[in-house]
Amino acid sequence: MFSLCIVCLLVAGLLHMLRIHSTATYKTAMLTATSCQDIPARPNYLVTERATDAIAALNNAHHIEHIPTLNLPSKFYRLDPIQQQFLLLNQERTLRGLAPLTLDANLSQMAQGYSQQLRELHFFSHSSPIAGTFNTRINSNPLAFNHYSLAAENIAGNPVAGIGPIYEYMYDDAAEACGHRQNILDPQLQFVGIGLVYGSEYGSISAQEFLASAPWNPYSSAQLANSTPHISISVREQRNRGLLFLQAYTVGTIGSIHISWFLDNTNVPQHNGPVWSLNMLHLASGEHFIRAYVVDGEQHYGMSDLDL
């Protein structure tokens, strides 16, 4: 079994982007010089796939970094893996003198929706073929849009769902210039949402969404509806010109929506937006299919197919 993780950082507003980007670059350099180094997992939990070995590896890395060992509750190994991740995130912060993060229901729904996209659409990136970039995704959320000064995302695939991603982010991250570690230890960030799914080639896939509230327009969390959006396609044909006019209709969405159209495969969208004009004269002879996706502000998605 193997593991994989990718990091993303976003700042909101041009002035804040310039100021915070400069600071973030400096902090990354500092971490790389002083503590951004890979520490081999001892014991190697990726081989044994045991949660107890992953905790032992974290404590060994803490010893090497001269950080106190983890102080786990007696019921830790019975906790849901998302709760395990959250507890470990905050211990990594508080053992270094940083304030703990608040687990946020809205961000957790976003993280869960994106984790499902990663697994079900078989990609591993901060840019989704059906939902766009991290910038697009965070700004499609009605509670987050215009209410944050800094946002960030970590994603990981790991066989030890609750604990393994934390080891990756903290001690197996030099190839990413310790960006995951920087997100976890960023003192500006206040909220986190965690999502997790099983059944991938990595064993599990999880996403962490971080946010710092905007002082000028504070973030206020809420539990939004957890429902699957629906999309349908209407078709109008103009035979003399060989054109198909396609329109998508959606229901049950939250926040801003992203609609993408695919032709014959779902690798790269051919068009984004609710309406698409397709020139049939440009298609090779034979059967074709069209698929339309809608993704809402919580990263839930629906799809509809059309055979040509």
Side-chain angles (χ1 to χ4, degrees):
M1 186 66 70
F2 57 96
S3 61
L4 181 66
C5 56
I6 299 180
V7 63
C8 184
L9 175 70
L10 174 70
V11 287
L14 181 59
L15 292 178
H16 291 273
M17 180 180 290
L18 294 174
R19 178 177 63 82
I20 297 176
H21 177 73
S22 175
T23 304
T25 302
Y26 173 73
K27 287 195 299 181
T28 299
M30 288 287 289
L31 285 167
T32 302
T34 59
S35 57
C36 180
Q37 57 181 329
D38 288 346
I39 298 177
R42 298 288 186 270
N44 190 344
Y45 72 93
L46 291 173
V47 173
T48 67
E49 299 186 11
R50 293 180 186 144
T52 52
D53 285 346
I55 289 295
L58 278 170
N59 279 326
N60 178 63
H62 279 211
H63 175 73
I64 292 171
E65 279 206 322
H66 306 291
I67 301 295
T69 57
L70 297 166
N71 182 20
L72 302 179
S74 58
K75 63 177 182 179
F76 176 80
Y77 292 106
R78 297 194 300 273
L79 293 176
D80 178 273
I82 288 177
Q83 290 294 327
Q84 290 180 342
Q85 273 200 41
F86 176 61
L87 189 151
L88 292 172
L89 275 177
N90 274 340
Q91 290 224 2
E92 294 293 346
R93 288 174 65 92
T94 57
L95 289 174
R96 292 169 172 83
L98 300 172
L101 298 168
T102 298
L103 187 62
D104 182 79
N106 173 48
L107 296 177
S108 291
Q109 282 195 186
M110 284 189 63
Q112 186 66 25
Y114 199 61
S115 298
Q116 290 171 343
Q117 287 184 41
L118 292 168
R119 178 190 65 187
E120 293 165 9
L121 301 181
H122 307 289
F123 72 99
F124 203 87
S125 169
H126 293 290
S127 291
S128 164
I130 66 171
T133 65
F134 179 55
N135 186 5
T136 300
R137 289 187 284 113
I138 194 73
N139 286 323
S140 71
N141 185 275
L143 298 181
F145 177 65
N146 203 33
H147 290 279
Y148 68 93
S149 59
L150 177 67
E153 177 177 78
N154 288 344
I155 58 177
N158 197 282
V160 185
I163 307 161
I166 303 301
Y167 194 94
E168 280 191 82
Y169 295 149
M170 295 299 298
Y171 298 109
D172 190 11
D173 202 32
E176 296 281 347
C178 288
H180 300 92
R181 180 186 176 105
Q182 181 180 342
N183 285 345
I184 291 173
L185 300 181
D186 192 325
Q188 300 173 90
L189 294 170
Q190 302 163 287
F191 301 94
V192 67
I194 302 171
L196 187 146
V197 294
Y198 292 97
S200 77
E201 61 186 299
Y202 313 109
S204 71
I205 289 178
S206 60
Q208 299 173 347
E209 313 292 347
F210 301 88
L211 185 142
S213 180
W216 62 88
N217 196 13
Y219 174 75
S220 179
S221 181
Q223 181 75 52
L224 297 178
N226 188 3
S227 60
T228 301
H230 296 278
I231 183 170
S232 59
I233 304 172
S234 72
V235 182
R236 181 170 60 87
E237 186 174 2
Q238 197 172 72
R239 290 182 178 274
N240 62 329
R241 298 176 59 191
L243 294 177
L244 276 185
F245 296 97
L246 306 163
Q247 182 158 4
Y249 296 91
T250 63
V251 295
T253 60
I254 299 170
S256 299
I257 63 173
H258 188 90
I259 296 173
S260 50
W261 300 84
F262 296 80
L263 177 65
D264 294 336
N265 66 68
T266 55
N267 297 325
V268 179
Q270 299 296 309
H271 184 73
N272 294 310
V275 178
W276 183 26
S277 297
L278 175 63
N279 191 330
M280 299 289 288
L281 300 178
H282 293 166
L283 299 182
S285 60
E287 296 182 349
H288 300 275
F289 79 90
I290 288 172
R291 176 169 292 174
Y293 285 94
V294 59
V295 185
D296 69 11
E298 289 286 24
Q299 297 309 298
H300 303 137
Y301 74 90
M303 67 181 185
S304 181
D305 288 343
L306 175 68
D307 292 324
L308 301 181

